[in-house]
Each structure stands twice: as C-alpha cells, then as structure tokens.
C-alpha cells in the first residue's frame, strides 16, 4: 500500500510541474473553455440537470448558431482593426429577401416561388456583394469602418422595413429551408430500433469517427515535429490532452445523440469554424490578415496588399451575415420587420469574450465561437431559471467585463 | 568615487525563459555622467526599467538605494517623485500637441480646477532655455525634427526638477550636429548638478563624454571603468563588451565595380501629395552586381524617400522617371511587385514599419516570403520553424525561442530579425536603411561580415547610412543626397568625411 503511494509520488512532481507550465503558457486559450465549462456546470446544478439535457443543449446550439457565424466573421474584421455595425440588419434584410424569394407570388407580392436550394446560394452571393460595397467604402475611399457600417446599419434597417412594410411578417413554407435551424441529420436506423433505442446512431458513429480523426492527426503532428527535432509536449501531458479531448468529444456526442442527433445548425456552424480556423491558422491568406492587423505599415512593406485583405475580410463578413440571416429566418420559419436587431453587438461581444483584441492583430475564430456559446449559455440557463430579463443583461455585462479584464491581465503578464 | 547617488545591489530580473539581469550591481556617483555599454540584449534597458519603476518592486530581486534610501518604486510616477527621469529611445511625446503642452503633460500647472496656461508657457520657455532650444513653445511637436524632439524630452524632465536623468540610446536617431549639441547639453547639466546615465552603442561619444563607464554582458556587470583622463580606449571597451578583440570592424574584400548594372534609375522625381512638395528631384544613379553602394546625406535629405519610391512606392508619391532592373524597365505600384522582382528593403524604423511586434520571431521572418514555406496557399508549419531556426543561428539572434514575441527582444536583436526576414526573400538587390542603428559593435561586425558574404555571392546592396565611418568602411561607391537631389558621386578612393559632408550640406 505504502509502496504504491511512494512510487506515484516519484513521478508526480515533474508531471504536475509540466502541467502547470503548459497551463500557464496557455492560460488565455484554456481559460475560455474553463469559463464555458464552469458556466455550464453552474446552470446544470441550478436547474437540476435540465440545462445539460440533450434537448436543451440542442436548442441552445440552434439558438446560438446565427450569432456564432457572425462572431466568426467579426473576429476577422476586428483583427484587421475595423468593425462592422451593419451586419445585424443586413442579416435581417437578407433573411427577408430569402423569404420573399421562396414565397408564393399570390400571397406575397414579388414572391418568386424559388426552392431553397436556389435561394440559399443566391442570398450568400448577395451577402458577398454587400461586403464589396463596405470594403469599397473602407479600403478604396478610406472612410472609417465605424462610419461606413453605421451608414449600412441605417440603410439595411430601412431596406428591411421597406421589403416587409406591406406584408409584415413573411411566413416561410419551404420545409428544406426551415430544417436548417430546426431539423436534424437523418439516422441510418429508424428511431427506437436496433441497439440503444432512442439514441441517434449516426451521430454516435460520427462522434467516434471524429475522436479517431482527432487522435490520429494529433499523433501524426507530434511525430512530424519530433522528426524535425522540435520541442513537443511531454508524453504524459500529451496523453492527458488526448484523453481530455476525446472525453469531451464523447460527452458532447452522447448528449447530442440523446435528442434527435446532430442538428443541421451544428453541422453548418462546425463547417464554418473548421474552414475559418484552417484558413486563419494554416494559410498564407490567414497570415496576411493577422499581419495587417498587427502592423499595417510593416505588412504593406512586406508585400501584403492591404486593400485586397480588406476586401476579402468584408466579403467574408457579408457572406456570413447572409448565412446568419438564413439561419435566423429558418429558425423562426419567417422573416420579421425587426429581424437582426442588435445581432452586431452580440457578435462583437462574443468576439471580445473570445479574446479578440480591439487593438487588432490578435484573436482566434474558435475563441469567438466559445464566446458566442458563453453568451448563449447565459441566456439559456437564466431563462430556465426564470431570471428576469433585466437581470440577465446585467449578468452578461459582468461576464463581458470580467472576460476582458482577464484578457488584459493575462496579456500584460507575458510582457 | 564620491558618494553614490544611486546604488543598485544584486539585481536579478527574469522573463519567461530569459535571465535578463543576473545579480547586477551598479553604482553611480552624484554629479557624474555614467555610461552604460554592452552588447544587444546585455540587459541595459532592462536595468534602467527596473530603476525607473517600469518593472515594479517585487518583479525583480535586489535592492535599489537612491539618495541613500532604499526605494521600492511601484511605477514610473514613484521614481519621478524622487527625481529620476528616463528618456526612452522611442520618444514619448504627443505629436499633435504643442511643445508647452507636452512639457507639462502629466505635471500640469493648475490654478484651482483649471490649467494655468500663462504660467505653463512661461515655465516651458524657461525649460527650453535650459536645453538651449530656440523654438516657439506653441509649435506642434510633429513639426519639429527628431533632434529637437529629443531636447524637448529633456526639457520635460528638467521641468520636474530631476536629479538623475537616464537616456537610453539618445543619439541613435540623431545626426552629428544634433548629437554634438546633446552631448554638450549633458555636460552643461552636469555643471548644474544633474547626474546622468546614458546608454549608447556609439563608443566614440561614450569615450568623449563619460566620467565612468559600466560594461554589462549577458546580464552581468563585467566592470566599471574610470573614463576620466582618457585611459580607456575603444579597443578596451570592445574587449569587455564582446569578450574578444575586434581589430578591424570592416571586413576586407575585393572592391567590385565591373559587374553589369543591376539597377539603373534615371531622372527620377517624386512628389509627395501629403507634404505638397517634391521630395526627389531628377535623381539618377546605378548599382552594379556585387557592389555596395552607399547613400550618404543628412537626416531628412530624401534617402528613405528614394528607397521607398523605388520599392513599390507605398506612400503614394507621384513619381516620374525611369527604373531599369536587370535590364528590364519596370514600374512597381506595390511593394509586392518589387519583392517579386527581387528587391528587398529593410526599413530604418524597425518598430514602426519593419516588424510586427505582437507576433513571434518566426512569423516575422517568414512574412515577406510566405510562399517560400507554403504549398498551394497552405503554410507548412514545420518548414517555417526550420527557416526561422536557420536565421536565428546564422544571424546569432539572442532569444530563448523563435516563438518569442519580437516586441520582447532587445533593440539589436529586433534588427537582426528584420534582416533575417529580408534575406529569406532571397533578393538580388537589398536596400538597407540605417542597418546598424542601435546595434552593438559585435553585431555590427557580424552584419558587415554578412554584407560582405552576400555581395560576394552576387547580391547588390544599397546602404543608406548616416554614420560616415560605416559608409566609408563598407561602400564601393558613394552617392551623396541633399534636399532630394544627388549632389555627388564618389568612388571610395576619393571619398573622405570632409568631401561627403561638404556635398551633403551644399
Ligand atoms: N518583456 C520581455 N519579455 C521577455 N524577454 C525580455 C523582455 N524584455 C527584455 N527581454 C530580454 O532580456 C534581455 C535584455 O534585454 P534589454 O532590452 O535589456 O537589452 P539591451 O541591453 O537594452 O539591448 P539593446 O542594446 O539591443 O537595446 C534580452 O535577451 C531580451 O530579449
Ligand atoms: Mg536597449
């Protein structure tokens, strides 16, 4: 008995020291996940587990989706030292256009009766075009983004009211379209048959695949680094990391599989995150974006075309605004006159909670998604607890402030 | 040594992965000019930041005694309070404000709740007199040259009744006249009882002005020398600084001027719409393969503008004239195009427009040539590390890791990162703008050796420099620039300091 305790003690200090070092170096990155985890844990306790129920989590994600995609785009906009205030009403406006395009001309004037598969790409392209306009004002004419997009905020708000003035709320009948924010991926077995009745089998399978993929790629990556002779995490920490990621993925998968499986919103948001994370962290384009944010003059002298980058970032923002509008309209199966109100500020808040620096050049896409989830969890959890909406705002204010204080503190420490 | 005004005992300061100061002790006598020298990254700036409270008490170990009392500064305000003022290399003035506003910024003269502007202007005028600067205190700081701005910083310190004045590389951005002026001002202040600590890499001026010299190396005090009476020579200092002797800092090489013309610039003029005047007028010059061409001139003579206007014209000058690169006429509208054609430009202001301080060393080194480590737009992270490691070794960049933020490096090491970045572009023509500003002798020697190696490999170099010995020591040919014109061309045999200065000022 005592010998066992002793032997574990011998290995312990270096492991603990190692862990401490890794945690300290990455405190900002892990801090967000920890915060999200703590918030979720608190709500799980205060709601007697309702919060963490499969059904609620599924709902939470479907509700966060349209802010999350905006937050991703906003991250890049803030990274290159701009801001986009127009995205909220732009998303509302484009959602309304989508509704009109799908509407029956006999019911809604101007309706085109187009199917969702045509309308969705059309709206996304329209989003990109609006991004071109913003980028033209900012990059070509040199108008500060704050002012240019404030004009956009007014303009799109007007446009939204204009197209919905006659009809008010436009109901969307297209089932495919509405499934985007309400539907789930199909299962390979009919529900309640096969093993594990009531659990979504395809989701489970995808989850297992994801775990395998993550582990394999992490191990490969480490091997490659070792082959180059670079420093890597020590063995025990690396295994701990893999176990942790795997357990987390497994847990999430299990929760999702418990209620209809993966929703389409999750699939879409995951897709956006994977693509954007890849582009920002692994490509030349991504590096150029961070260079422009970090020091525009130096970037320009290094051969980075600032105008091009500005165009790319605002067009991406436009496209994601369109996506957000689609998700929102789909969520409520309708387009309303006030759709998109304040989305821009929620997206900006999510980005800041996620660690984006207002000075530019710093901020990760994943962080902003976590930020959006933090905000979404707060709403969902406090709603479940029946907390008054006015108090909810105050709590969110505190969380935003604390996140930014934490950010500043951890950043200065490294100096 | 008379009574010390300052004593720093056993100071140790660590950053993650770096021991910047290791048990340093440092004594300064009252009323002396004490110079602090040492290689890049030796810890000079860090020591001064510890002293002035930038790094608060508790973030380092050791003891500070000032005026006989133990001091525990929590911030700069605390140190200002007891009469310590520090002037950083990067000036901390607000360009849009007037001289008098700047001098009393943070120390406003109040009458009741409001600022007493009349008294402010009166006292600002007095402070300006003390530094012998003859400008209208209502001038905006942005309208003054660096030399005058430097003096305003000192006036600001004097307005607070300073006992110990610290200057971190004050002359690195000044021309000879301004430097001379500054040094004589420091002597003046000494007469009035102000103690001075000056950090500098210019050993000549150190020897000219110092009463005492302390040498730091690798975070440790190597020695403190009495410099009065001229027993200390440059050679001795260098030996203490770098730990070995360097006889001839300019490496020998075959002078080269028969290669084919790589760059030919003809009748080149540039109009700056922001300034509303011509910054370059009818400039013609050429550079041959394997040649180092020096561009000499005073600060503000238009050398940087010339380089920029050739290098893709990022400031949007209206240009006119012909550029021929490797026999092909060309007209670059963006630095991107210039880089693609094989031109690289190492800026003079590495912090302002050279480097991305919040990014790490490897990201900075690869930025101008990401395609060199990417396939179809996707960066190979391992190749990137490899490249950065190579330059770290070959340029001898002092850092615990290539993942260190560039903003955390010492000035000289930042310069090396900047050089590495442009060497990775693999250029045919390298334009160096003040390549050794703020660099220690050892590193200078390394950079000169590197330049020599590069031209032997067939690269051509344009070197803009305000340090005449460097121009004379390294160039094959010298062009002299004055007020946007080329006023002379001298083969190196005919170039002397006097000839160059004469052409530069006419
Ligand atoms: N904030 C920081 N974080 C990490 N390392 C730092 C930081 N500041 C300085 N260092 C390191 O401490 C060492 C001493 O730096 P310091 O700036 O004092 O050098 P220096 O003697 O002033 O050099 P130079 O002549 O180049 O200005 C260097 O290795 C530098 O990289
Ligand atoms: Mg320094």
């Amino acid at each position: 008995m005592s010998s066992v305790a002793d032997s574990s003690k011998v290995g312990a200090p270096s492991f603990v020291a190692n862990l401490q070092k890794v945690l300290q170096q990455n405190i900002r990155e892990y801090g967000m996940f920890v915060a999200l985890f703590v918030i979720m844990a608190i709500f799980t306790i205060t709601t007697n587990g309702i919060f963490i129920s499969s059904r609620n989590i599924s709902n939470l994600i479907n509700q966060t989706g349209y802010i999350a995609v905006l937050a991703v785009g906003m991250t890049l906009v803030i990274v290159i030292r701009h801001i986009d205030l127009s995205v909220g009403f732009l998303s509302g406006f484009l959602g309304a256009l989508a509704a009109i395009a799908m509407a029956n001309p006999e019911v809604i004037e101007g309706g085109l009766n187009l199917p969702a598969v045509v309308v969705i790409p059309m709206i996304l392209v329209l989003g990109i075009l609006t991004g071109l306009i913003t980028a033209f004002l900012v990059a070509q004419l040199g108008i500060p983004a704050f002012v240019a997009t404030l004009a956009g905020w007014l303009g799109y708000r007007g446009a939204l009211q204009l197209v919905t003035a006659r009809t008010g709320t436009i109901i969307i009948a297209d089932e495919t379209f509405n499934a985007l924010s309400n539907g789930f991926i199909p299962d390979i077995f009919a529900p309640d048959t096969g093993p594990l009745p009531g659990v979504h089998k395809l989701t489970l399978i995808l989850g297992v695949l994801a775990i395998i993929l993550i582990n394999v790629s992490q191990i490969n990556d480490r091997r490659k680094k070792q082959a180059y002779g670079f420093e890597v995490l020590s063995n025990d920490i690396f295994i701990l990391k893999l176990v942790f990621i795997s357990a987390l993925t497994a847990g999430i998968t299990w929760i999702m599989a418990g209620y209809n499986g993966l929703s389409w919103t999750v699939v879409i948001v995951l897709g956006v995150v994977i693509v954007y994370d890849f582009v920002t962290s692994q490509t030349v384009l991504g590096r150029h974006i961070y260079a422009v944010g970090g020091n525009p003059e130096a970037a320009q002298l290094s051969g980075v075309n600032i105008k091009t980058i500005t165009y790319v970032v605002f067009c991406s923002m436009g496209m994601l605004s369109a996506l957000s509008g689609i998700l929102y309209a789909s969520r409520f199966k309708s387009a309303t006159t006030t759709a998109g109100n304040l989305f821009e500020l929620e997206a900006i808040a999510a980005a800041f909670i996620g660690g984006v620096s207002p000075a530019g050049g710093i901020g990760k896409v994943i962080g902003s998604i976590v930020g959006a989830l933090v905000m979404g969890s707060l709403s969902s959890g406090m709603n479940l607890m029946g907390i008054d909406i006015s108090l909810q705002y105050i709590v969110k204010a505190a969380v935003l402030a604390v996140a930014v204080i934490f950010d500043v503190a951890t950043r200065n420490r490294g100096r | 040594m008379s009574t010390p005004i300052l004593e720093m005992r056993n100071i140790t300061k660590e950053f993650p992965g770096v021991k910047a100061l290791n048990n340093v002790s440092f004594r300064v006598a009252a009323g002396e000019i004490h110079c602090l020298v040492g290689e890049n990254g030796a810890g000079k700036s860090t020591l001064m930041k510890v002293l002035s409270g930038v790094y608060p008490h508790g973030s380092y170990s050791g003891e500070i005694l000032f005026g006989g009392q133990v001091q525990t500064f929590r911030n700069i305000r605390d140190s200002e309070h007891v009469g310590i003022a520090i002037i950083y290399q990067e000036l901390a003035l607000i360009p849009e404000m007037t001289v008098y506003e700047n001098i009393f910024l943070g120390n406003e003269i109040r009458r009741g709740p409001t600022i007493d502007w009349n008294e402010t202007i009166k006292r600002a005028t007095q402070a300006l007199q003390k530094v012998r600067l003859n400008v209208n205190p209502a001038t905006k700081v942005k309208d003054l040259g660096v030399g005058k701005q430097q003096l305003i910083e000192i006036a600001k310190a004097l307005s607070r009744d300073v006992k110990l004045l610290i200057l971190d590389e004050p002359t690195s951005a000044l021309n000879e006249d301004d430097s001379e002026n500054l040094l004589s001002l420091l002597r003046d202040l000494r007469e009035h009882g102000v103690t001075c600590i000056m950090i500098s890499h210019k050993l000549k001026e150190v020897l000219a002005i110092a009463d005492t010299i302390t040498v730091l190396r690798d975070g440790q005090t190597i020695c403190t020398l009495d410099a009065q009476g001229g027993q200390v020579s440059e050679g001795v200092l260098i030996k203490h600084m770098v730990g070995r002797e360097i006889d001839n800092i300019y490496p020998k090489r075959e002078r080269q001027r028969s290669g084919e013309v790589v760059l030919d610039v003809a009748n080149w003029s540039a109009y700056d719409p922001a300034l509303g005047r011509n910054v370059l007028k009818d400039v013609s010059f050429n550079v041959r393969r394997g040649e180092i061409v020096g561009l000499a001139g005073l600060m503000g003579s238009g050398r940087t503008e010339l380089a920029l206007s050739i290098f893709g014209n990022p400031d949007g000058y209206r240009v006119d004239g012909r550029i021929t690169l490797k026999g092909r006429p060309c007209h670059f509208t963006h630095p991107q195009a210039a880089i693609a054609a094989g031109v690289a430009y190492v800026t003079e202001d590495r912090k302002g427009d050279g480097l991305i301080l919040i990014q790490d060393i490897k990201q900075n080194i690869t930025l101008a040539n990401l395609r060199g480590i990417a396939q179809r737009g996707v960066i190979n992270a391992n190749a990137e590390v490899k490249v950065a490691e190579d330059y770290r070794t070959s340029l001898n960049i002092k850092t615990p890791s290539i993942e260190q933020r560039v903003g955390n490096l010492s000035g000289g090491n930042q310069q090396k990162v900047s050089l590495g970045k442009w060497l990775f572009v693999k250029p045919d023509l390298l334009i160096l703008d003040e390549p050794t500003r703020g660099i220690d002798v050892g590193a200078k020697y390394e950079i000169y050796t590197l330049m020599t190696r590069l031209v032997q490999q067939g690269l051509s170099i344009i070197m803009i420099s305000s340090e005449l010995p460097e121009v004379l020591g390294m160039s094959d040919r010298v062009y002299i620039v004055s007020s946007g014109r080329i006023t002379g061309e001298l083969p190196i045999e005919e170039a002397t300091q006097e000839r160059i200065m004469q052409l530069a000022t006419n």
Side-chain angles (χ1 to χ4, degrees):
Chain A
M1 181 68 204
S2 74
S3 74
V4 173
D6 277 348
S7 74
S8 76
K9 237 184 212 161
V10 176
S14 81
F15 175 72
V16 172
N18 262 338
L19 188 64
Q20 227 168 18
K21 195 177 131 210
V22 172
L23 286 181
Q24 259 168 13
Q25 280 168 358
N26 299 297
I27 184 161
R28 170 68 238 189
E29 229 156 287
Y30 298 157
M32 260 157 12
F33 289 99
V34 172
L36 180 60
F37 188 80
V38 167
I39 288 173
M40 293 187 127
I42 290 175
F43 283 132
T44 303
I45 294 166
T46 55
T47 61
N48 293 322
I50 300 175
F51 179 82
I52 205 73
S53 70
S54 300
R55 190 196 167 98
N56 189 55
I57 292 294
S58 182
N59 253 323
L60 164 65
I61 294 178
N62 285 357
Q63 258 161 31
T64 311
Y66 47 83
I67 296 298
V69 293
L70 283 182
V72 168
M74 195 62 80
T75 306
L76 301 192
V77 173
I78 300 176
V79 161
I80 64 164
R81 304 186 175 189
H82 290 308
I83 194 83
D84 195 338
L85 299 176
S86 69
V87 296
F89 285 119
L90 174 60
S91 117
F93 172 57
L94 292 175
L97 289 189
I100 294 172
M102 287 181 293
N104 186 338
E106 282 153 31
V107 185
I108 304 285
E109 196 182 331
L112 296 173
N113 226 347
L114 291 173
V117 283
V118 177
V119 171
I120 292 169
M122 205 176 79
I123 295 296
L124 292 178
V125 170
L126 260 180
I128 295 176
L129 292 180
T130 60
L132 278 180
I133 300 177
T134 318
F136 178 78
L137 294 173
V138 174
Q140 220 78 35
L141 303 184
I143 299 174
F146 192 97
V147 180
T149 61
L150 191 58
W153 181 86
L154 286 167
Y156 295 129
R157 180 177 208 173
L160 170 63
Q161 288 185 359
L162 202 66
V163 295
T164 53
R166 200 83 55 78
T167 48
T169 301
I170 305 168
I171 305 293
I172 298 171
D174 191 306
E175 282 308 316
T176 323
F177 187 87
N178 289 341
L180 287 181
S181 286
N182 298 294
F184 299 86
I185 62 170
D187 201 355
I188 39 174
F189 299 107
D192 301 327
T193 62
L196 295 168
V199 177
H200 196 271
K201 261 72 77 182
L202 182 57
T203 302
L204 279 189
I205 294 172
L206 288 177
V208 171
L209 282 180
I211 292 174
I212 294 174
L213 212 70
I214 292 171
N215 280 294
V216 168
S217 82
Q218 289 269 343
I219 292 170
N220 265 340
D221 203 43
R222 185 176 145 96
R223 282 238 183 84
K224 254 194 228 154
K225 282 206 172 132
Q226 278 169 331
Y228 273 95
F230 300 154
E231 200 184 326
V232 290
L233 290 180
S234 68
N235 261 324
D236 38 11
I237 303 273
F238 182 67
I239 291 171
L240 185 77
K241 185 179 166 193
L242 288 188
V243 170
F244 188 77
I245 297 177
S246 305
L248 200 71
T249 318
I252 295 171
T253 308
W254 183 250
I255 292 175
M256 303 257 205
Y259 179 75
N260 293 337
L262 281 183
S263 68
W264 284 115
T265 305
V266 172
V267 175
I268 292 171
V269 172
L270 263 182
V272 168
V273 170
I274 290 172
V275 169
Y276 271 79
D277 185 57
F278 175 77
V279 170
T280 50
S281 64
Q282 315 271 336
T283 66
V284 173
L285 173 63
R287 203 51 84 64
H288 282 180
I289 290 172
Y290 285 95
V292 169
N295 184 343
E297 288 83 20
Q300 159 136 337
L301 284 177
S302 305
V304 178
N305 196 326
I306 299 182
K307 275 187 193 165
T308 310
I309 296 298
T310 311
Y311 270 99
V312 168
V313 168
F314 275 108
C315 286
S316 115
M317 184 78 255
M319 184 189 70
L320 291 175
S321 308
L323 182 60
S324 160
I326 291 168
L327 288 177
Y328 187 75
S330 152
R331 177 85 193 143
F332 294 97
K333 301 181 181 168
S334 63
T336 62
T337 48
T338 56
N341 189 17
L342 293 181
F343 283 11
E344 67 282 351
L345 295 186
E346 286 190 45
I348 292 169
F352 283 140
I353 290 177
V356 176
S357 158
I362 295 174
K364 288 197 177 150
V365 166
I366 304 265
S368 301
I369 289 287
V370 174
L373 281 174
V374 164
M375 292 297 257
S377 300
L378 288 174
S379 299
S380 161
M382 287 191 289
N383 278 338
L384 285 177
M385 289 171 66
I387 291 177
D388 188 63
I389 188 79
S390 44
L391 270 180
Q392 290 197 17
Y393 279 122
I394 293 171
V395 170
K396 283 185 185 170
V399 169
L400 176 61
V402 167
V404 178
I405 291 168
F406 179 72
D407 205 30
V408 172
T410 53
R411 207 162 277 154
N412 283 346
R413 218 185 36 128
R415 237 180 240 169
Chain B
M1 201 188 213
S2 55
T3 46
I5 183 171
L6 169 74
E7 219 183 325
M8 299 178 79
R9 287 188 193 146
N10 309 98
I11 306 285
T12 298
K13 167 82 191 164
E14 286 185 58
F15 296 107
V18 203
K19 209 169 214 174
L21 296 173
N22 186 2
N23 211 11
V24 169
S25 295
F26 181 56
R27 278 164 65 109
V28 179
E32 71 170 345
I33 297 181
H34 195 125
C35 285
L36 196 52
V37 298
E39 288 181 284
N40 298 126
K44 306 177 295 291
S45 300
T46 306
L47 187 65
M48 292 303 105
K49 285 180 184 167
V50 165
L51 171 57
S52 61
V54 174
Y55 300 130
H57 180 73
S59 69
Y60 58 89
S61 70
E63 217 176 23
I64 300 177
L65 274 88
F66 184 75
Q69 258 154 6
V70 177
Q71 305 287 352
T72 54
F73 303 131
R74 284 157 303 168
N75 48 42
I76 305 188
R77 262 184 184 270
D78 284 357
S79 68
E80 276 173 356
H81 206 71
V82 300
I84 297 176
I86 182 163
I87 296 174
Y88 300 100
Q89 190 182 340
E90 311 81 50
L91 299 177
L93 298 172
I94 301 187
E96 283 294 335
M97 284 191 179
T98 62
V99 170
Y100 65 81
E101 281 171 312
N102 265 294
I103 290 180
F104 286 94
L105 187 64
N107 185 26
E108 289 81 2
I109 303 168
R110 280 162 225 259
R111 196 173 46 192
T114 56
I115 295 179
D116 186 343
W117 288 118
N118 290 331
E119 183 67 17
T120 303
I121 294 171
K122 194 176 120 207
R123 290 222 239 147
T125 315
Q126 286 166 358
L128 289 174
Q129 270 162 8
K130 276 195 215 161
V131 298
R132 295 179 309 202
L133 182 61
N134 192 12
V135 298
N136 182 345
T139 322
K140 278 193 181 168
V141 163
K142 64 168 183 184
D143 296 328
L144 299 173
V146 234
K148 289 184 175 159
Q149 292 191 11
Q150 188 77 263
L151 293 177
I152 288 170
E153 283 266 20
I154 297 176
K156 182 172 173 179
L158 294 180
S159 78
R160 291 180 190 229
D161 190 21
V162 58
K163 295 195 186 71
L164 175 65
L165 183 63
I166 305 168
L167 302 120
D168 194 346
E169 301 191 34
T171 58
S172 70
L174 300 189
N175 63 30
E176 309 244 324
D177 280 351
D178 285 343
S179 300
E180 200 39 59
N181 190 7
L182 183 82
L183 295 187
S184 74
L185 173 64
L186 294 188
R187 289 193 191 98
D188 233 40
L189 292 177
R190 177 173 56 187
E191 300 304 305
H192 289 88
V194 177
T195 312
C196 244
I197 300 175
M198 183 174 96
I199 298 177
S200 179
H201 288 293
K202 298 187 178 171
L203 300 183
K204 285 213 174 57
E205 72 184 29
V206 167
L207 291 172
I209 197 172
D211 297 313
T212 315
I213 302 173
T214 293
V215 182
L216 286 188
R217 186 164 82 219
D218 293 333
Q220 287 174 307
T221 325
I222 298 299
C223 59
T224 298
L225 306 167
D226 183 355
Q228 274 164 327
Q231 317 91 312
V232 185
S233 71
E234 235 177 284
V236 171
L237 269 190
I238 293 177
K239 183 146 185 283
H240 284 303
M241 281 169 67
V242 300
R244 63 195 155 94
E245 284 178 56
I246 299 177
D247 316 327
N248 188 0
I249 181 163
Y250 304 110
K252 292 224 178 329
R253 77 189 149 90
E254 291 282 297
R255 297 293 183 193
Q256 175 70 38
R257 63 179 69 95
S258 53
E260 80 267 26
V261 173
V262 172
L263 175 76
D264 186 56
V265 174
N267 308 110
W268 188 250
S269 299
Y271 174 85
D272 183 351
L275 292 178
R277 64 179 172 82
N278 272 320
V279 287
L280 296 171
K281 287 162 231 147
D282 202 24
V283 170
S284 300
F285 74 102
N286 60 41
V287 184
R288 293 173 181 278
R289 188 177 153 84
E291 196 184 28
I292 299 180
V293 167
L295 284 188
L298 301 178
M299 304 234 174
S301 58
R303 295 166 303 168
T304 297
E305 288 79 358
L306 177 57
L308 280 176
S309 69
I310 294 171
F311 186 70
N313 193 11
D315 290 345
Y317 302 142
R318 266 176 253 147
V319 292
D320 183 41
R322 264 184 308 111
I323 298 180
T324 318
L325 189 70
K326 292 179 273 180
R328 231 177 290 148
C330 49
H331 177 69
F332 305 128
T333 52
H334 192 278
Q336 206 170 21
I339 295 168
V343 185
Y345 170 63
V346 183
T347 65
E348 99 192 283
D349 178 9
R350 55 185 171 244
K351 285 197 172 160
D353 57 20
L355 296 167
I356 299 179
L357 299 178
I358 58 171
Q359 292 190 351
D360 62 23
I361 295 176
K362 70 173 162 28
Q363 288 171 327
N364 272 283
I365 286 187
T366 54
L367 178 62
N369 185 19
L370 283 171
R371 319 241 166 238
I373 49 156
Q375 274 151 1
R376 271 181 266 117
V378 179
I379 292 171
N380 178 344
N382 293 323
E384 174 168 41
V385 173
K386 197 101 189 131
V387 167
E389 284 290 358
D390 285 350
Y391 282 106
R392 172 198 183 175
T393 326
S394 66
L395 296 174
N396 197 8
I397 299 171
K398 263 190 212 137
T399 172
S401 128
I402 52 164
E403 260 139 47
Q404 178 72 271
R405 271 177 35 168
V406 167
N408 288 345
L409 294 180
S410 79
N413 284 302
Q414 289 177 350
Q415 181 68 11
K416 291 182 185 175
V417 173
S418 194
L419 268 172
K421 163 178 164 178
W422 288 107
L423 291 180
F424 182 49
V425 170
K426 314 258 160 67
D428 302 315
L429 173 67
L430 180 62
I431 308 176
L432 301 171
D433 200 346
E434 305 285 0
T436 63
R437 173 176 293 175
I439 280 201
D440 71 59
V441 267
K444 260 187 191 166
Y445 178 70
E446 285 167 27
I447 286 177
Y448 295 146
T449 313
L450 180 74
M451 286 168 67
T452 308
R453 208 170 66 221
L454 292 172
V455 288
Q456 273 160 1
Q457 290 164 4
L459 202 102
S460 310
I461 294 180
I462 299 176
M463 182 179 72
I464 299 174
S465 174
S466 302
E467 274 187 62
L468 287 180
E470 171 172 287
V471 172
L472 294 174
M474 289 305 295
S475 317
D476 297 310
R477 242 173 346 128
V478 184
Y479 287 100
I480 296 95
V481 184
S482 171
S483 335
R485 290 175 198 280
I486 290 204
T487 51
E489 176 191 351
L490 297 171
I492 197 64
E493 297 78 18
E494 293 169 25
T496 59
Q497 298 223 10
E498 294 70 37
R499 285 291 307 271
I500 293 179
M501 279 320 285
Q502 192 196 347
L503 289 165
T505 47
N506 77 358

